[in-house]
Amino acid sequence: MAGSSSGTEDVERPADVDLPANLEDVRSALIEWYEADHREFPWRETEDPYAILVSEVMSQQTQLDRVRPAFEAFLEEWPTAAELAAADRSDVVGFWSTHSLGYNNRAKYLHEAARQVHEEYDGEFPRTPQELQELMGVGPYTANAVASFAFNAGDAVVDTNVKRVLYRAFDVPDSDDAFERVASLLLPDGRSRVWNNAMMELGGVACGTTPRCDEAGCPWREWCSAYETGDFTAPDVPTQPSFEGSRRQFRGRIVRLLGEQEEMELDALGHRIRVDYTPDGEHGRDWLRGLLADLSDDGLVEVRERTDRTVVRLRE
């Protein structure tokens, strides 16, 4: 990804993209539109890098309406990186699973990243995208987002929404390299915080899967190729695996159910989490033991083999 010095007019314009002649007009229109009115999220009300990292990790492949209550509950439980670092990892993973936030590895990485900040950085978060990538589980996108929203020191954020905007507005070719180049060219110097928020807001509110150009007052209508031609196709987006019926959904059910019970016998647990559970069937004991093995590896459950039965309980 290009450095934060990008976005100036002396950056070479891509030959395969027809950008407006005056990029300052394009930038000003978007920022004014965003600052006049935008969706309110708690992570937009803070510049705390810890809170922003939590929100970014939670938001990966998770709908924002599920993220908001989980984000607020997480920060109530562990308000600082130091408090998260001191927490028992099984408690963090249990929170993640109970709130259906996706792969439990993200919780483990977030816990480890907090430990790194506390132990290796004396409690001070790294400030640049490159330094932030030294934290466990923090890739280029998340590092750039934290640098942008916490320190106003990031590069252009390029997510699915941003790609859709650039593809429609300026006929940017459907390639990661092209999206990165154009996004970096558009980024105003020293304004990554407001710019990246504004770009994602544009894609989430005005230029969604179903465009709302006029209703949302899209600030780029006068330059937008899709608005002019009526062709609102979008770049290909990899299909995300469905949460409904997934292994992680059933792992979450197990954790929630065991939280209400001292312990449960294996088959009784199976019948409670799945209506078509059949001990010797496709979704039977072997399938259930596989889920329990994952949860045991995460430090969440204990499986105890007794002479006449198998019982399961949350790990204390």
Side-chain angles (χ1 to χ4, degrees):
M1 186 174 290
S4 60
S5 62
S6 61
T8 57
E9 297 293 350
D10 58 355
V11 175
E12 183 179 353
R13 289 171 176 250
D16 52 350
V17 179
D18 185 20
L19 289 172
N22 190 337
L23 295 186
E24 275 308 310
D25 288 348
V26 174
R27 294 171 183 137
S28 297
L30 177 59
I31 292 173
E32 290 172 7
W33 174 82
Y34 174 77
E35 291 182 334
D37 185 32
H38 58 259
R39 293 172 297 176
E40 294 184 357
F41 296 115
W43 47 88
R44 282 182 173 172
E45 306 303 316
T46 181
E47 295 177 11
D48 176 9
Y50 167 67
I52 292 168
L53 176 61
V54 170
S55 74
E56 289 296 329
V57 174
M58 284 188 174
S59 299
Q60 295 171 14
Q61 300 180 9
T62 304
Q63 294 177 343
L64 294 183
D65 60 352
R66 290 218 315 270
V67 172
R68 186 196 295 266
F71 172 81
E72 293 172 339
F74 192 94
L75 291 186
E76 183 175 342
E77 184 74 22
W78 301 290
T80 66
E83 289 172 276
L84 180 61
D88 189 295
R89 183 163 297 181
S90 64
D91 290 339
V92 181
V93 176
F95 178 100
W96 212 261
S97 182
T98 300
H99 287 78
S100 302
L101 289 168
Y103 302 104
N104 288 344
N105 276 345
R106 293 178 190 153
K108 292 191 285 187
Y109 291 153
L110 183 58
H111 183 258
E112 178 62 20
R115 188 199 63 78
Q116 284 180 268
V117 169
H118 180 63
E119 297 180 3
E120 300 175 21
Y121 293 90
D122 296 325
E124 296 291 331
F125 263 79
R127 300 178 68 90
T128 69
Q130 293 74 25
E131 292 173 318
L132 283 158
Q133 286 185 65
E134 297 299 318
L135 300 180
M136 179 66 72
V138 176
Y141 177 87
T142 300
N144 188 43
V146 175
S148 292
F149 303 136
F151 304 116
N152 198 31
D155 303 311
V157 168
V158 183
D159 67 355
T160 300
N161 283 337
V162 172
K163 290 179 181 180
R164 185 170 57 249
V165 168
L166 297 179
Y167 183 88
R168 287 174 174 171
F170 306 126
D171 289 326
V172 177
D174 187 2
S175 80
D176 288 344
D177 178 65
F179 289 129
E180 294 281 355
R181 286 185 290 119
V182 174
S184 295
L185 177 60
L186 290 172
L187 173 66
D189 284 341
R191 305 204 68 184
S192 62
R193 179 183 292 124
V194 67
W195 180 259
N196 286 325
N197 269 320
M199 284 292 290
M200 290 189 288
E201 185 78 355
L202 186 64
V205 171
C207 199
T209 304
T210 301
R212 299 177 57 251
C213 314
D214 294 325
E215 302 96 308
C218 174
W220 283 1
R221 283 170 290 179
E222 66 178 280
W223 301 289
C224 179
S225 173
Y227 190 74
E228 179 182 1
T229 65
D231 180 4
F232 286 96
T233 54
D236 291 332
V237 177
T239 302
Q240 301 293 347
S242 172
F243 177 73
E244 187 64 32
S246 66
R247 288 174 64 85
R248 56 194 175 101
Q249 181 186 43
F250 287 108
R251 289 198 296 266
R253 288 181 181 176
I254 290 171
V255 171
R256 286 191 293 274
L257 185 57
L258 291 178
E260 302 168 358
Q261 310 285 333
E262 182 176 348
E263 66 179 27
M264 293 192 71
E265 191 272 333
L266 186 71
D267 286 340
L269 175 64
H271 286 298
R272 288 287 301 275
I273 68 165
R274 187 164 191 140
V275 294
D276 60 346
Y277 177 84
T278 306
D280 297 322
E282 178 183 358
H283 296 113
R285 290 174 185 147
D286 290 343
W287 170 82
L288 180 55
R289 285 182 182 276
L291 297 179
L292 294 171
D294 291 344
L295 292 170
S296 178
D297 289 344
D298 288 337
L300 291 176
V301 304
E302 292 181 76
V303 180
R304 297 181 178 180
E305 303 290 347
R306 297 182 177 169
T307 54
D308 58 341
R309 60 197 179 112
T310 301
V311 296
V312 186
R313 64 187 302 161
L314 287 183
R315 184 169 293 172
E316 298 178 354

